[in-house]
Amino acid sequence: MAQRHHDLTDSAAGAPVTGDALAGYLRARATEFLRALRLQREGGSHGGTDEAAEAARALRRSARRISGSLHTFRALLDADWSEEIRPELAWLSGTLALEHAYEARLERLLLALQRLSGATAVPVQGAGGGAPLHGTAHLPDPAEASTAPRTAPGTAHPPAAPRTVAGPPAASRAAGSPPGTSRAATAAVASRAAGSTSAASRSASAPADSRATGTATASAGPVATAPGPVNERGTLTVGAAKAGALLDRQLTLARTRAHSTALQALGSSRFHAVADKVAVLASEVPLTPDAPGTDLAPFATAAEERLTDAVAALPLVTAGHPYNAEALVHGLSPDTAPHPQDAPWHQVRLLLRLHRYALEVLHGGDCPPDVRLIAAGEALDRHRDASEAAAAAAQAARTPRIAPATAYALGVLHADQRHEVEAARYAFQRAWQRHAVHTA
């Protein structure tokens, strides 16, 4: 299916890459780990949150590469030592990643709520001045006043052109902008909902005869709307504000707990034991007696074959058709476990990472960029983020005694993120198959 796209031997020197290159790679990654640990301690002691966050990312990066290399080339390393440190590095990387994951998930969901509520601009097709977007008010031009239908005699209100407004006033729509922080996003969604609520109340106070004829009441301020479309759009918008507040509470609490867990982990004896072993690794790599002269290419090839086999098991034919709705299957399942069809894709993401790390070992950390692997990895990252965001929306929808509008908004949000999952699968299929087509 997929063709090999890297030369797994050292073509420049004409000699195979041996275990000595693996030892050098592990020493370099261990040195990065210790350097990031020092920066993390300095940033925490001086109150620098940005420095501490960057140091935590560097710690995770080096820990993932050490752990992945130990897994791929485990036959060349001391078995007991490798099996002892590898799970500890995975624990450390996962613990440090939780806080950032919750923060990114909250921001993703709040921005999606804004987009679904119309608080952010949606790109239109075409550059010319075409028809207004669905859900925007169309105010009649003064020149159209003579052609506008007139109301029946005796109507207390002046004539007005029939119009349907499916959202808050245009000024409120223009004021919405993407937030810089999650708190700002929640406030923006709330103000959006407030505008829709006021519009709905003005629509409800319009005279019955005016609503019956489909005309709006002419008054100062925003134009009144027909009750049907306003209720439909207003339900999503009002619910979006409450859904955003609920997600903010839940994910902020989870992020706070993850931050406390990370701080406890960095101060635990378990972490210090890991740091001591990495410090030893920076000076001495426990290779087997035969490892220094062993060719590394077969191990890297095996990692690539595992990736290729896992990709072959994916439903790429289905994913190659956009809007196939495969990601929405079992979307209403009451099971709180992760979506079963996502697991093979997550496994491919991990195998792709191991393949990249193996290539780094072979090329001494100077692995040439592979556009195919980069595009495929980005698509799988988006797949994981959207899948976890959809699970967070579903979990929030299971909160007891929430309003129907809130549950509706969370359901729309869940479906939107599952569509993002489907789009990520489609992007991965396009990126992965492109190489096979070009080399066929």
Side-chain angles (χ1 to χ4, degrees), residues 144-161:
E144 301 174 357
S146 59
T147 61
R150 300 184 178 275
T151 57
T155 303
H157 302 282

Side-chain angles (χ1 to χ4, degrees), residues 54-424:
E54 182 63 30
R57 282 191 290 269
L59 279 174
R60 287 159 37 205
R61 178 180 181 275
S62 56
R64 287 197 307 265
R65 279 162 170 77
I66 295 174
S67 178
S69 300
L70 295 181
H71 175 79
T72 302
F73 304 99
R74 57 185 177 275
L76 304 178
L77 299 160
D78 181 80
D80 295 337
W81 175 87
S82 178
E83 292 301 323
E84 183 180 356
I85 189 176
R86 192 161 54 86
E88 296 301 298
L89 290 171
W91 160 78
L92 176 62
S93 177
T95 302
L96 296 180
L98 282 178
E99 180 182 0
H100 173 72
Y102 284 124
E103 180 182 7
R105 195 172 307 155
L106 176 60
E107 182 178 1
R108 178 188 184 93
L109 290 172
L110 292 181
L111 288 176
L113 282 173
Q114 282 192 290
R115 171 172 49 82
L116 294 170
S117 300
T120 56
V122 179
V124 297
Q125 296 181 356
L133 290 174
H134 173 69
T136 58
H138 174 68
L139 299 179
D141 190 87
E144 301 174 357
S146 59
T147 61
R150 300 184 178 275
T151 57
T155 303
H157 302 282
R163 62 182 63 89
T164 300
V165 182
S172 175
R173 185 184 304 277
S177 59
T181 61
S182 58
R183 296 289 185 180
T186 306
V189 176
S191 63
R192 171 85 179 150
S196 176
T197 305
S198 60
S201 62
R202 286 191 296 270
S203 173
S205 62
D209 57 345
S210 176
R211 289 195 300 269
T213 58
T215 60
T217 304
S219 59
V223 181
T225 61
V230 167
N231 288 340
E232 180 182 355
R233 185 71 173 181
T235 301
L236 174 60
T237 307
V238 174
K242 296 181 179 180
L246 177 60
L247 290 169
D248 186 34
R249 288 195 303 269
Q250 292 183 350
L251 293 179
T252 300
L253 178 60
R255 179 192 173 190
T256 302
R257 291 175 176 172
H259 179 73
S260 301
T261 302
L263 292 180
Q264 293 175 2
L266 292 175
S268 64
S269 58
R270 183 180 182 181
F271 170 76
H272 288 294
V274 175
D276 292 341
K277 293 177 182 178
V278 174
V280 174
L281 180 63
S283 59
E284 181 182 359
V285 179
L287 296 175
T288 60
D290 299 334
T294 303
D295 188 6
L296 300 182
F299 300 96
T301 301
E304 183 180 9
E305 290 176 351
R306 287 192 292 269
L307 170 63
T308 303
D309 294 341
V311 173
L314 294 177
L316 291 185
V317 175
T318 302
H321 299 280
Y323 309 108
N324 57 73
E326 180 71 18
L328 295 176
V329 176
H330 306 304
L332 296 178
S333 173
D335 190 5
T336 59
H339 212 286
Q341 61 173 282
D342 294 342
W345 296 86
H346 296 335
Q347 180 66 17
V348 168
R349 176 177 172 271
L350 295 178
L351 293 175
L352 178 61
R353 177 178 290 176
L354 292 177
H355 174 52
R356 286 176 38 233
Y357 296 163
L359 293 177
E360 291 180 3
V361 173
L362 292 183
H363 293 274
D366 298 327
C367 181
D370 190 315
V371 177
R372 174 172 174 254
L373 292 182
I374 293 175
E378 291 177 350
L380 291 176
D381 288 342
R382 293 196 301 271
H383 178 275
R384 182 216 39 195
D385 294 342
S387 173
E388 294 178 348
Q395 181 64 30
R398 296 186 183 97
T399 303
R401 297 182 299 277
I402 59 175
T406 307
Y408 172 66
L410 290 171
V412 172
L413 182 61
H414 175 268
D416 173 75
Q417 293 304 302
R418 292 307 302 179
H419 277 298
E420 293 289 338
V421 168
E422 180 181 313

